[in-house]
Amino acid sequence: MIRHILAEGLALLRRRMLASLALIVAVAMPVALGGVTLSIDLWLKPILRGTVSGGTVEVLLRPGKDEGAIASWVTGQRTKHPAWRLRHIPKAEIQQRLSTWFPYLKPLLRDRPGNLLPDIVEITSPHPHSVTQLAGDPLVLAVGPETSFGPELRHVASRVSWLIGVATAVLLFSSALFAGIWVHLELFRHADEIAIMRLVGATEASIQGPFLFAIGVTGALAGILASLLDAAMLRWLSTLLQSIGLPPLEGPVTVIVLQLLIATLIPLGIAAWTLARHATLEIED
Amino acid sequence: MIRLRGVEKAYNHRRILRGLDVHIEPGEFVFLTGPSGAGKTTLLKLLYGAQRPTGGEVWVNGLRVDTLSRPQLPTLRRTMGVIFQDFKLLKRKTVMENLTFVLRFHGLPERECQRRAYLTLKRLALQHRQSAYPESLSGGEQQRVAIARALVYQPRLILADEPTGNLDSELAAELMSLLCDINYQGATVLVATHDHSLLEAVPARTLILHHGTIEYDGAWPP
């Protein structure tokens, strides 16, 4: 039985290679998009935590100060203002950001020693205006404008997530429809064969098995393709995000597993439903 | 083996079979005849569960067919071999595969499937065509493959629906001789035909179906 299912299922895939490839891509695209949306949501959560009700202010420190002095200044500010969240941006990161945004500075940054660059401390506070008091500090060169990056980011991210979510749902529905049509056409093409199989005593499992196997393989391949596309998109987005000083995007294992499951189960479910409907047509009342 | 009790069948209020009562014992050779549209094929379809009667009971090989659920039908069909007028061979499979394919549903190991299929083909003088596809065979050869497929798992009951319909008289005679041989070995054979020359050639119990009722049940010629 298993041998029959494997042989017939593979034959089915071989004969309908192009349609199967199209189905793989059709399923993979929305699943990959869904994965990216989910990954962005998961990535945004820690970033938005604590910044929603406040804002982040960039504080520029005087250049030439040693690491120890900066570290003790940061510790001192933390003690003085427990509500603030301070993050010291290393010189290397500033150098990288400047190189990305102002490529013509690259030779200058390469030739000059790194310690000529100022240090930046990002302070996130529920009351960003309170950070301006640091303007008189001898170590501080300048205090950046008060920003409301968090809420803006959340607003944009929720809009983008909503749009991608709708696009994903529409594409997923289309791919499910495609899978249904694929099975329906194959059943139509093999109608005579299926009728003969039933007449010689084949069980529904041996009739439906090859179709389910073929669609299951197609779905699993779509899941793998979706994970690869997802990883590529996240990598590309991460490059952009890192260049503006944000942490890179990561594709959690749960998202990959979810993608594999969705890509396999949706076409499989549609196929099982179509096959079950077809089977009920066997006996004429 | 086969028992019909008050079997009725109607399509769109048109009665095809009217209260049929038939009993066929194991090992019998029976012809089912009558004019076109008399209900011969419908009766056979009721026996292998392709249709359900409107009323009455259909018993085949100890199973009540009219109440069998869809998942139970393969069990019934594996106890019988059905030969169709249009052969119903799988075009994408070779002669050998058409037979081994059926044997796999009986849970036999691959080697045994191959062995039995070969022996059956040999019995029907088709072993030299085992790698051929049905479309490359003559009508007579295709019919013999259809018979081989019906016999390959040694069923206790053979149902044949107009088995000689596509054959010339010589091949028809050859086929009937084969069915007699199968019957001689113990299988019950029910042949639906409207060809009276077959009834003359093979003396056997004959059921004449007319307007959905059994008009005659007895030896032929009377």
Side-chain angles (χ1 to χ4, degrees):
Chain A
M1 168 77 90
I2 292 169
R3 198 177 155 150
H4 157 79
I5 289 172
L6 294 181
E8 292 293 320
L10 288 174
L12 207 59
L13 284 174
R14 246 194 333 268
R15 276 197 304 275
R16 300 286 162 245
M17 183 74 85
L18 205 64
S20 305
L21 286 175
L23 182 59
I24 289 171
V25 175
V27 175
M29 290 307 287
V31 175
L33 267 181
V36 170
T37 315
L38 204 60
S39 299
I40 292 176
D41 276 348
L42 292 171
W43 170 84
L44 273 174
K45 264 183 193 164
I47 292 177
L48 295 176
R49 206 179 294 137
T51 64
V52 174
S53 57
T56 302
V57 181
E58 309 280 341
V59 176
L60 200 66
L61 302 183
R62 288 184 190 282
K65 298 290 173 194
D66 63 82
E67 291 290 320
I70 293 168
S72 77
W73 183 83
V74 168
T75 313
Q77 293 304 325
R78 276 195 187 121
T79 319
K80 220 192 273 183
H81 308 282
W84 291 3
R85 288 200 310 127
L86 290 95
R87 189 168 91 89
H88 176 220
I89 313 292
K91 283 192 182 75
E93 196 177 322
I94 297 167
Q95 193 166 344
Q96 193 250 324
R97 285 188 199 181
L98 284 171
S99 309
T100 307
W101 292 99
F102 309 102
Y104 49 85
L105 287 179
K106 268 183 190 169
L108 188 73
L109 290 164
R110 196 176 52 235
D111 298 341
R112 296 291 180 102
N115 60 8
L116 281 180
L117 285 170
D119 284 273
I120 290 177
V121 174
E122 272 178 1
I123 300 177
T124 306
S125 164
H127 309 289
H129 189 69
S130 64
V131 182
T132 51
Q133 65 184 273
L134 291 177
D137 193 290
L139 204 72
V140 173
L141 185 67
V143 177
E146 176 192 325
T147 64
S148 54
F149 186 61
E152 279 302 319
L153 190 63
R154 195 166 81 141
H155 180 69
V156 171
S158 70
R159 279 284 172 91
V160 170
S161 288
W162 190 82
L163 281 174
I164 299 180
V166 169
T168 302
V170 170
L171 288 174
L172 211 55
F173 179 74
S174 309
S175 65
L177 209 63
F178 187 4
I181 291 168
W182 187 93
V183 175
H184 199 74
L185 284 177
E186 285 310 309
L187 282 173
F188 182 70
R189 219 186 297 271
H190 293 84
D192 287 349
E193 238 169 87
I194 292 170
I196 295 167
M197 284 170 78
R198 287 196 173 118
L199 289 174
V200 298
T203 56
E204 282 306 311
S206 53
I207 293 169
Q208 299 183 4
F211 292 96
L212 292 174
F213 172 75
I215 210 86
V217 167
T218 308
L221 289 174
I224 293 168
L225 180 64
S227 300
L228 294 174
L229 283 173
D230 187 16
M233 280 194 269
L234 292 182
R235 205 168 155 183
W236 176 71
L237 285 171
S238 291
T239 317
L240 291 179
L241 290 169
Q242 278 178 304
S243 67
I244 56 167
L246 289 169
L249 276 162
E250 280 170 10
V253 181
T254 45
V255 174
I256 297 170
V257 173
L258 214 61
Q259 281 179 317
L260 284 172
L261 281 176
I262 289 174
T264 311
L265 293 180
I266 287 183
L268 212 53
I270 293 287
W273 181 62
T274 312
L275 287 163
R277 277 182 60 209
H278 186 265
T280 56
L281 303 175
E282 188 208 353
I283 307 166
E284 303 162 28
D285 284 312
Chain B
M1 181 58 69
I2 294 175
R3 185 180 286 276
L4 305 179
R5 279 188 195 145
V7 169
E8 301 266 345
K9 180 67 188 174
Y11 291 115
N12 302 325
H13 307 294
R14 188 175 150 247
R15 292 172 75 192
I16 307 294
L17 300 176
R18 299 156 189 256
L20 287 191
D21 286 300
V22 176
H23 182 62
I24 297 173
E25 291 290 343
E28 271 194 281
F29 191 110
V30 179
F31 278 117
L32 177 66
T33 190
S36 292
K40 301 186 294 291
T41 300
T42 302
L43 181 55
L44 290 187
K45 281 184 175 177
L46 295 181
L47 295 177
Y48 59 78
Q51 287 187 358
R52 289 195 197 283
T54 318
E57 292 176 16
V58 180
W59 291 83
V60 177
N61 290 334
L63 294 167
R64 188 167 166 187
V65 181
D66 56 294
T67 57
L68 281 183
S69 64
R70 197 164 45 81
Q72 290 172 311
L73 281 174
T75 314
L76 166 80
R77 289 172 183 169
R78 282 183 219 153
T79 65
M80 59 173 76
V82 188
I83 302 164
F84 302 93
Q85 183 181 2
D86 57 352
F87 320 132
K88 294 202 190 297
L89 297 174
L90 298 172
K91 289 175 194 152
R92 283 191 305 110
K93 295 193 181 289
T94 63
V95 168
M96 178 61 109
E97 285 167 348
N98 262 280
L99 270 64
T100 53
F101 177 71
V102 178
L103 286 167
R104 281 193 206 118
F105 301 138
H106 291 254
L108 294 173
E110 194 56 31
R111 278 182 78 118
E112 182 60 14
C113 291
Q114 296 281 340
R115 193 185 72 84
R116 283 204 195 181
Y118 181 78
L119 290 176
T120 311
L121 288 174
K122 199 173 172 190
R123 187 178 168 196
L124 290 152
L126 279 167
Q127 75 275 24
H128 63 292
R129 307 304 310 262
Q130 59 176 300
S131 305
Y133 285 89
E135 280 177 346
S136 68
L137 302 177
S138 68
E141 283 174 325
Q142 287 191 42
Q143 187 62 292
R144 276 191 287 156
V145 176
I147 295 168
R149 188 184 61 193
L151 298 181
V152 73
Y153 48 93
Q154 295 156 351
R156 288 180 290 158
L157 172 66
I158 301 284
L159 303 176
D161 187 9
E162 301 283 3
T164 58
N166 287 321
L167 306 180
D168 58 37
S169 56
E170 200 179 319
L171 284 169
E174 198 181 305
L175 170 70
M176 288 318 293
S177 142
L178 191 69
L179 288 175
C180 287
D181 190 30
I182 294 159
N183 173 245
Y184 184 72
Q185 286 168 22
T188 308
V189 178
L190 174 61
V191 179
T193 182
H194 65 271
D195 184 354
H196 276 259
S197 65
L198 291 184
L199 310 185
E200 305 290 342
V202 182
R205 181 183 166 192
T206 301
L207 304 171
I208 299 178
L209 202 58
H210 195 67
H211 289 308
T213 55
I214 300 290
E215 200 173 62
Y216 176 82
D217 181 357
W220 193 271

